[in-house]
Amino acid sequence: MIPPTSASPSASETSRPTALASATSLSPDRLVELADRVDGKSGESLDVFAPATTERIGSVPACDETDVATAVDRAREAGAAWADRPIDERAAVIDRAADLLLAERSALLDLLQAETGKSRRTAVEELFEVPLACEYAARKGPDAIAEDRRNAAVPGLSTATVTYEPVGVVGVISPWNYPLTLSVADVVPALLAGNAVVLKPDEKTPYTALALAEILETAGLPEDVLTVVTGEGPTVGPALIDRVDHVAFTGSTETGRIVAERAGRNLIDCSLELGGNNPLVVLDDADIEAAARGAVQVCFANAGQLCLAAERIYVVESAYDAFLDAFVRETERLTLGTGYDYDDDLGSLIDADQLDRVRSHVDDARERGATVETGGRHRPDIGPYCFEPTVLTGVDPDATVACEETFGPVVSVTPVPDVDAAVAAANDSPYGLNASVWTADRKRGAAVARRIDCGTVSVNDGFLTGWGARDAPMGGFGDSGIGRRNGPEGVRRFTESRTVGVSRIGPFTFPDRIPTGWFVRGAFAATTAGRRLSKAGRRLKNGTVGRLKRGVFGRE
Ligand code: NAD
């Protein structure tokens, strides 16, 4: 429960650290040690602040273009030997890193909280996900880029084999909201695929990226295969994009367009995970209490600074009153605080700019006639950038909060006449990142989910069933991005495919007349049949024949 502004400080408020070192395991020496990993020769530095208190945490080099060029050159040199290592060895390094991340969890949680101002619980959610991402890359990544036989041009007389080669050096540009998860999501599959990586973390969260690089090195990653360059986005970002072979960017749609333009000019591939204004749809038959609990989770995780967070809720009219009551009640149960303990649900916003954005979206909605059902206030008595979880109703469809991403703890709830109207409202956005549908009928939910234009849509869950399905791709429609992370797609994007065609009979020639339709269809059927036959042959050889042999002769 959030205390009223005039009340005396609660237990969680008084637990607010006066100095980082006394509240956490982060000593000034440790922070200097991490900053020393950056080879920045510009002589400039960037101060890093704890959002929960505005205390200065430390400073890191502000790299310039020359520093970035040096980092990429070194990565390119170190990457050649890394690419030559058998993929099982690369996977083993990532596997060990997963164990080390868990072993180091306490210090990492302190660091995550210090840099982002998120609550301990949100930091745990972030850290929980990271070893799973490593495990997926280590176990399933090799299959995603294993050599692959395809339908041959002329079955029996030729073969076609695809190999997946590392692109070279991958530039990863990551945001501040989930600095560990969203670095790992690109860095780890890129390394597994045999690339070197230069990671540019957000200016506000460089230490987490540096700790990640240290852990990977301790796990056996050779020096310079992963380098971190710290500094201002508009300086370091373009310098990086001009030198790497693929850029994996996570951040705002606005910056994503700049990154895509630059990548396009350099003719390099890019994957862009961008913003969203995510809808949540409650159908007439939904379990209202479950939907309200789920909505609270997906709206206010990390104080709404989650790219998958729901910001627009559409409820079919017959369920509206009951849902709104339950949702407001659940929201009012949330606690807001800045302690390094497990007391609070929501922590701080990242900085003054983010606070201004959230405040201006709420003020604009109010001025256009919206009702604040709960929340709506800045809470400097709890932390300089703390803002209450806020539920709005009666929001004008043209209000900023309805059209743009707020990226804060603010959500609007709107009644709609029926399911078709809910789908139309959900799709009325240039974004298309994440959505959820709530209903007692799972089949109906899945059918509605298929009509929503988002990269992930969960039924009866806010985001974990979609995002947590590591084997499935994740990304955005429309202004929410290009490309997909997670799943085989998430590894393959960091490779160049090479098709090797081999003729058994020397050069093929084209016939001197255009073939008839039946010939074309027959030739296609023959290529697929040839592939099916050779697959069946391999299965027979490895399976039935192998089992028979082992039965007769025993194991080798
Ligand atoms: P941002 O675009 O301002 O910054 C992201 C990164 O880009 C930072 O590292 C920054 O230093 C760098 N950058 C800034 N200018 C650059 C430039 N000119 N060239 C290259 N890099 C540059 O994003 P933000 O506001 O810090 O992050 C929040 C946004 O990120 C939200 O819109 C959120 O939805 C989005 N996001 C998306 C996902 C996803 O998976 N789709 C995940 C997290 C956050």
Side-chain angles (χ1 to χ4, degrees), residues 377-398:
R377 290 175 305 173
H378 172 212
R379 294 300 301 268
D381 53 318
I382 297 179
Y385 310 132
C386 284
F387 197 90
E388 292 176 342
T390 302
V391 178
L392 302 172
T393 55
V395 171
D396 183 318
D398 292 329

Side-chain angles (χ1 to χ4, degrees), residues 173-178 182 200-204 231-238 241 249-256 258-259 262 272-276 305-308 354 357 405 407 431 433 467 474-476 480 485:
I173 302 179
S174 61
W176 47 263
N177 63 330
Y178 283 77
L182 297 174
K200 185 246 165 288
D202 191 277
E203 296 83 317
K204 295 179 272 294
E232 300 283 359
T235 307
V236 176
I241 301 165
F249 171 84
T250 309
S252 64
T253 297
E254 198 185 350
T255 313
I258 299 172
V259 169
R262 193 124 192 158
L272 306 173
E273 300 288 341
L274 310 179
Q305 301 166 115
L306 165 71
C307 57
L308 307 173
Q354 197 61 26
R357 184 181 175 92
E405 181 184 47
F407 217 54
Y431 296 108
L433 192 59
W467 162 259
M474 198 261 146
S480 289
R485 57 165 53 125

